[in-house]
Amino acid sequence: MAPPPPALTPPSHAAAAAVPKVKIHVTAVGSAPILKRCKFLLPADAPFRTVHSFLRKQLRLDATAPAEGDDFPYRQQVQELFLYLASSFVPDMDQRVGDLVESFGSAIAERGGNPGGGRELVVSYSLQEAWG
C-alpha cells in the first residue's frame, strides 16, 4: 500500500514575508472622489494593473459595460479611471510596481514606523483624462 500524499499546508508567514512590499500613495485629481485611506502596501512583484483594479474596487466603479438593451440608469455609463505617475504619464499595466518605485518613487522622511526612510510611489487618479 502506497503512503498517503503529503497534506497541503498553507504557505508560512515567513515565505509570505519574503516578498518585499512597496508603499503606494494615491492622490485624487479633478473631480475624483477622495479616499479616506490614501496609502497602501502592495507586493513589489505585482503588476501595475493591480493598482488599477484595487482603486476601481475602492472607488466602487462599475467594471463592466451595460448589456445591450439594459435600461437601468445607473449602468448606462461605465466610469473610466485614469492613473498617472509624476502627474504626467501612464505606465504600462504589465510593469512591476517595484520597478516603478525604484525609477519614479519619492523619498519619504524617516518616521517612527519607518526607520531609515524609504520610497513610495505617488499615483494620481482621475475619472477624466487629466494629463497627456
Side-chain angles (χ1 to χ4, degrees):
M1 182 176 215
L8 295 176
T9 58
S12 68
H13 293 291
V19 176
K21 301 265 185 173
V22 293
K23 186 178 283 190
I24 308 294
H25 183 167
V26 295
T27 59
V29 175
S31 62
I34 298 172
L35 295 173
K36 289 182 181 178
R37 189 169 154 218
C38 63
K39 293 188 180 186
F40 306 95
L41 290 176
L42 288 177
D45 60 350
F48 189 71
R49 82 176 68 253
T50 305
V51 177
H52 189 267
S53 299
F54 178 76
L55 282 175
R56 286 195 74 81
K57 288 178 188 172
Q58 292 293 311
L59 296 169
R60 295 183 177 101
L61 299 178
D62 187 14
T64 60
E68 191 168 323
D70 191 357
D71 293 336
F72 294 113
Y74 62 89
R75 292 181 56 184
Q76 289 296 323
Q77 183 179 9
V78 176
Q79 287 186 305
E80 293 189 57
L81 180 63
F82 298 92
L83 302 181
Y84 301 95
L85 295 184
S87 299
S88 62
F89 73 97
V90 181
D92 185 61
M93 289 294 171
D94 293 327
Q95 186 94 26
R96 287 182 51 239
V97 175
D99 293 341
L100 293 170
V101 170
E102 288 177 20
S103 300
F104 306 104
S106 301
I108 50 179
E110 185 173 329
R111 298 185 189 103
N114 189 19
R119 297 179 72 76
E120 67 182 7
L121 187 65
V122 179
V123 178
S124 303
Y125 65 94
S126 178
L127 301 180
Q128 301 92 17
E129 195 168 351
W131 293 287

